[in-house]
Amino acid sequence: MNPQTGPGRSTRTTLAVIASDADVSMATVSKVLNGRPGVAHETRDRVQSLLLAHGYLKPGSERTVAPLIEIVFNELEDGWSLELLRGSEEVVRENGMSLVVTKSGDRHTPAADWIDGVVKRRPFGVILVLSDVADEQKRRLRRRNIPFVLVDPSGEPAADVPSIGSANWSGGVLATNHLISLGHRDIGVIAGPQDVTNARARLSGFRAAMADAGIPVREELIVPGNYHIDSGLEGGLQLLSNPRPPTAIFATNDLQALGVYEAARSKGIVVPDDLSVVGYDDVHFSAWAGPPLTTIHNPLAEMAAEAARLLIRFRNENQLDSIRRDLATSLVLRKSTAGVRERAER
Amino acid sequence: MNPQTGPGRSTRTTLAVIASDADVSMATVSKVLNGRPGVAHETRDRVQSLLLAHGYLKPGSERTVAPLIEIVFNELEDGWSLELLRGSEEVVRENGMSLVVTKSGDRHTPAADWIDGVVKRRPFGVILVLSDVADEQKRRLRRRNIPFVLVDPSGEPAADVPSIGSANWSGGVLATNHLISLGHRDIGVIAGPQDVTNARARLSGFRAAMADAGIPVREELIVPGNYHIDSGLEGGLQLLSNPRPPTAIFATNDLQALGVYEAARSKGIVVPDDLSVVGYDDVHFSAWAGPPLTTIHNPLAEMAAEAARLLIRFRNENQLDSIRRDLATSLVLRKSTAGVRERAER
């Protein structure tokens, strides 16, 4: 099987000969040569070997797959980053591979030079967290047959980009309905970054639930945040300084909820007696906040695990495009919310 | 430089010829063949190529170094795991490499099969967190010239194992002296797992500070913990149920401190008015606990960064053995401690 041993042969080989040797169609050879999907993994390997041997692929570009799955974060932030790591690491390890962790770029897309590293590392697949990929990056990954999945994508991914998200809009509705059911009408929101899809969806869920209940939204009680603790503190202080402050705050993530806690403490406002707070994400420490935080469970570990499983399935079945899945969210009742009447009775 | 082109040569090659070809001593060839340290990186590469070409090393065992640094955790736990990841990821990335994250084994040593994976991956180096390595694992890593560094080792590492730790005993002294300076004498301790060196050192620092101040230690106020939140809750409840409860608790890590907070809340005890609490580690969320936690800063990110730098230095200078370094710890004053008199005045 070493075509180099046939002297002179290289001069007469053509793609047609390779197709014949590999027992595949010309179209398949062309797909492999151009890194297009739609070729079974074993077939691709066979054709690639022939292309390499005949000089159609340069040595070193033989596309050996390393037993690595790469997870790319735009930031390594407490709580949710670790949940995603945990979920993916477990699946990756169970499948005899290793997890590469990369921090890259800004909130939206990996840095331009990141792609060079990926191409060199030739991982089994790539999990992109809270990211989108530029068309050029997409093209380079595809050309090298490196599958990728977006987790919790920050924008609306293109139709040909597989992604795993969660039901953020429903989560926003659940959080708001819970507060409404406790009698709250003056509900504040620390909105997340509105260039991120999940933040827009959570806020939109809030508005939908309020509209459904026929409660007017007080727009001055919706303040911006960036999903970090300090913006929860800042937004919380702003809301609690309102002459008619909210009786409840939907913090839209757990870190911002911790910031709201601190804002309340600094003003001598007791959660939940004077102020109900609902977080979002259900990261580990939210159960241990003071008081334990009522929040929306975001299946972060499961999302990352599912992304890893998708990549593995892609390698086996060579089909990944057009997958788009949202996992369910749910309300986790703890101790940071209470009926609004308790406050009126003060 | 392709010795295979010299026909018949393979029959007369010996290690002496390789030494001559590589312009090194026989001893050096022998070191490389047996994976012993003490050979400059470039020289090693040159000798390995020759050994490989002459059949002294099997193809596939040519020990190509992958641009990966591997960090091994025994658990991926909130707060401190992420600090270590952040610190190492940054240095690894700045040096054009990638970080592999592995969860393996129990608290002390990586699982036996982990080593097979490492040997296959041929990483640039390995950072072992809260771990020791078995002699057999050590031997296999050395044979393949894969350098490793322990971070915050759980036992006393052997003299030939490089490690980066921090000043845990001093941290225990600092925490205790702070409480003593506020007038506390009845000080409780949630001790960490006593089979882990840093936990023993922190407790020992507590005892030393108490002895220095001439304050007798009430042994019934020292309760066991496992560094997780729930053991802080359990231990906190036990301490606060004592007929003469402590006026202050040294929780020995931040997670246990959060558990103590919850124990205090459940008993209507206010921190810091009724009870002072000092944590340990200074993980990100400790600044945002209710109230913000006074704690000992443990330079976790810096420890992991330093470990990564050591591995890189090893590859450049080929000298790593016998390095043992402890980074400094310091007291971070926040709002969870107060003078004991305030309590007496209740």
Side-chain angles (χ1 to χ4, degrees):
Chain A
M1 241 312 187
N2 181 2
Q4 282 181 326
T5 55
R9 183 169 179 187
S10 62
T11 55
R12 66 172 180 85
T13 52
T14 63
L15 294 186
V17 172
I18 289 174
S20 156
D21 280 6
D23 201 15
V24 297
S25 70
M26 273 290 283
T28 299
V29 173
S30 165
K31 275 183 190 169
V32 173
L33 188 59
N34 298 299
R36 308 271 316 141
V39 182
H41 201 50
E42 265 180 75
T43 308
R44 184 179 299 273
D45 281 350
R46 198 165 68 241
V47 174
Q48 277 183 346
S49 307
L50 289 167
L51 287 169
L52 183 64
H54 290 299
Y56 279 90
L57 288 175
K58 265 178 273 172
S61 73
E62 68 269 38
R63 301 167 199 206
T64 330
V65 172
L68 301 171
I69 284 186
E70 183 149 350
I71 186 165
V72 184
F73 291 92
N74 294 126
E75 47 185 359
L76 286 168
E77 180 61 79
D78 266 312
W80 63 262
S81 303
L82 204 68
E83 297 290 333
L84 293 163
L85 273 180
R86 270 203 202 106
S88 49
E89 197 275 341
E90 196 176 330
V91 171
V92 167
R93 182 162 33 88
E94 282 170 3
N95 283 276
M97 289 186 284
S98 298
L99 185 70
V100 169
V101 177
T102 308
K103 184 171 163 290
S104 172
D106 62 15
R107 187 159 225 127
H108 301 292
T109 55
D113 60 352
W114 165 80
I115 193 82
D116 299 326
V118 172
V119 165
K120 238 182 285 167
R121 287 188 284 279
R122 302 167 194 273
F124 188 91
V126 179
I127 301 171
L128 294 158
V129 180
L130 248 183
S131 299
D132 202 350
V133 264
D135 282 346
E136 163 64 12
Q137 296 180 331
K138 224 185 284 180
R139 216 161 46 79
R140 290 186 64 189
L141 289 171
R142 291 226 169 95
R143 203 160 49 204
R144 277 152 189 89
N145 204 30
I146 298 171
F148 56 94
V149 177
L150 300 189
V151 164
D152 203 7
S154 58
E156 285 301 316
D160 63 345
V161 173
S163 70
I164 306 283
S166 65
N168 285 290
W169 183 85
S170 305
V173 170
L174 285 173
T176 311
N177 278 346
H178 170 59
L179 293 172
I180 291 171
S181 76
L182 289 168
H184 296 279
R185 292 177 60 91
D186 297 304
I187 303 176
V189 179
I190 321 269
Q194 293 300 296
D195 51 354
V196 171
T197 303
N198 67 32
R200 281 203 305 279
R202 292 174 197 179
L203 179 58
S204 172
F206 164 79
R207 289 187 184 281
M210 293 290 272
D212 268 5
I215 302 172
V217 171
R218 288 174 55 196
E219 293 296 332
E220 78 275 19
L221 296 188
I222 299 179
V223 299
N226 61 10
Y227 276 167
H228 292 274
I229 296 179
D230 48 3
S231 77
L233 168 59
E234 205 176 308
L237 288 173
Q238 188 183 330
L239 289 174
L240 297 173
S241 305
N242 190 291
R244 242 179 74 214
T247 61
I249 294 177
F250 174 33
T252 76
N253 87 345
D254 290 351
L255 289 170
Q256 289 185 164
L258 288 192
V260 171
Y261 274 24
E262 177 64 16
R265 271 194 301 272
S266 76
K267 289 189 157 277
I269 292 169
V270 177
V271 177
D273 304 13
D274 307 331
L275 178 72
S276 289
V277 179
V278 179
Y280 200 110
D281 279 343
D282 190 26
V283 297
H284 185 63
F285 59 73
S286 68
W288 299 92
L293 183 66
T294 291
T295 189
I296 302 297
H297 179 70
N298 196 10
L300 294 161
E302 187 47 41
M303 283 157 70
E306 187 62 19
R309 279 186 220 111
L310 262 188
L311 294 173
I312 291 162
R313 215 173 305 146
F314 167 78
R315 287 285 181 185
N316 294 333
E317 299 166 14
N318 225 328
Q319 202 170 350
L320 182 59
D321 288 351
S322 82
I323 286 169
R324 180 82 187 265
R325 197 170 302 169
D326 276 350
L327 305 186
T329 49
S330 57
L331 179 70
V332 181
L333 278 177
R334 296 204 185 98
K335 296 187 177 166
S336 61
T337 55
V340 74
R341 262 163 302 171
E342 295 174 35
R343 184 179 186 239
E345 281 162 8
R346 269 196 306 174
Chain B
M1 239 324 183
N2 182 2
Q4 283 182 327
T5 55
R9 184 168 177 186
S10 63
T11 55
R12 68 173 179 84
T13 52
T14 63
L15 295 186
V17 172
I18 289 174
S20 157
D21 280 7
D23 202 15
V24 298
S25 70
M26 274 291 283
T28 299
V29 174
S30 165
K31 274 182 191 169
V32 174
L33 187 60
N34 297 299
R36 308 268 318 138
V39 182
H41 200 52
E42 265 181 77
T43 308
R44 183 179 300 273
D45 281 350
R46 197 165 67 242
V47 174
Q48 277 182 347
S49 307
L50 288 167
L51 287 169
L52 184 65
H54 291 299
Y56 280 89
L57 289 174
K58 266 177 272 171
S61 74
E62 68 270 36
R63 301 167 199 206
T64 329
V65 172
L68 302 170
I69 284 186
E70 183 149 350
I71 186 165
V72 184
F73 291 92
N74 295 125
E75 48 186 358
L76 287 169
E77 180 61 79
D78 264 312
W80 64 262
S81 303
L82 203 68
E83 297 290 332
L84 291 163
L85 273 180
R86 270 204 202 105
S88 49
E89 197 274 339
E90 195 176 331
V91 171
V92 167
R93 182 163 33 88
E94 281 170 4
N95 283 276
M97 290 185 283
S98 298
L99 186 70
V100 169
V101 177
T102 308
K103 185 172 163 291
S104 171
D106 61 16
R107 188 159 222 124
H108 301 292
T109 55
D113 60 351
W114 165 80
I115 193 82
D116 299 325
V118 172
V119 166
K120 236 181 286 167
R121 287 188 284 279
R122 302 167 195 273
F124 188 91
V126 179
I127 300 171
L128 294 158
V129 180
L130 249 183
S131 299
D132 203 351
V133 264
D135 282 346
E136 163 64 11
Q137 297 180 333
K138 224 184 285 180
R139 216 162 45 79
R140 289 186 64 189
L141 289 171
R142 290 226 170 95
R143 204 159 50 203
R144 277 153 189 87
N145 204 30
I146 299 171
F148 56 94
V149 177
L150 300 189
V151 165
D152 203 7
S154 59
E156 284 300 315
D160 63 346
V161 173
S163 70
I164 306 282
S166 65
N168 286 289
W169 184 85
S170 305
V173 169
L174 285 173
T176 311
N177 279 345
H178 169 60
L179 293 172
I180 291 171
S181 75
L182 290 167
H184 297 279
R185 294 178 59 91
D186 297 304
I187 303 176
V189 179
I190 321 269
Q194 292 300 296
D195 51 355
V196 171
T197 305
N198 65 33
R200 280 203 306 280
R202 290 173 199 180
L203 179 57
S204 172
F206 164 78
R207 288 187 184 281
M210 292 290 271
D212 267 6
I215 302 173
V217 171
R218 286 175 55 196
E219 293 297 333
E220 79 276 18
L221 296 189
I222 299 180
V223 299
N226 60 10
Y227 276 167
H228 292 274
I229 297 180
D230 47 4
S231 76
L233 169 59
E234 204 175 310
L237 288 173
Q238 188 183 331
L239 289 174
L240 297 174
S241 305
N242 189 292
R244 243 178 75 213
T247 62
I249 294 177
F250 173 33
T252 75
N253 87 345
D254 290 350
L255 290 170
Q256 290 185 164
L258 287 192
V260 171
Y261 274 25
E262 178 65 16
R265 270 194 302 271
S266 76
K267 288 187 158 278
I269 292 170
V270 177
V271 177
D273 304 11
D274 307 331
L275 178 72
S276 288
V277 179
V278 179
Y280 200 110
D281 278 342
D282 190 26
V283 297
H284 185 62
F285 59 73
S286 68
W288 299 94
L293 182 67
T294 291
T295 189
I296 301 297
H297 179 70
N298 196 9
L300 293 161
E302 188 47 41
M303 282 157 70
E306 187 63 19
R309 278 186 220 111
L310 263 187
L311 294 173
I312 290 161
R313 215 172 305 146
F314 167 78
R315 287 287 180 184
N316 294 333
E317 299 166 15
N318 224 330
Q319 203 172 352
L320 183 59
D321 289 352
S322 82
I323 286 169
R324 180 80 188 267
R325 197 170 303 167
D326 277 351
L327 305 186
T329 49
S330 57
L331 179 70
V332 181
L333 277 177
R334 295 202 185 100
K335 297 188 175 164
S336 61
T337 55
V340 74
R341 262 163 304 171
E342 294 175 36
R343 183 174 186 242
E345 281 160 8
R346 270 195 308 171

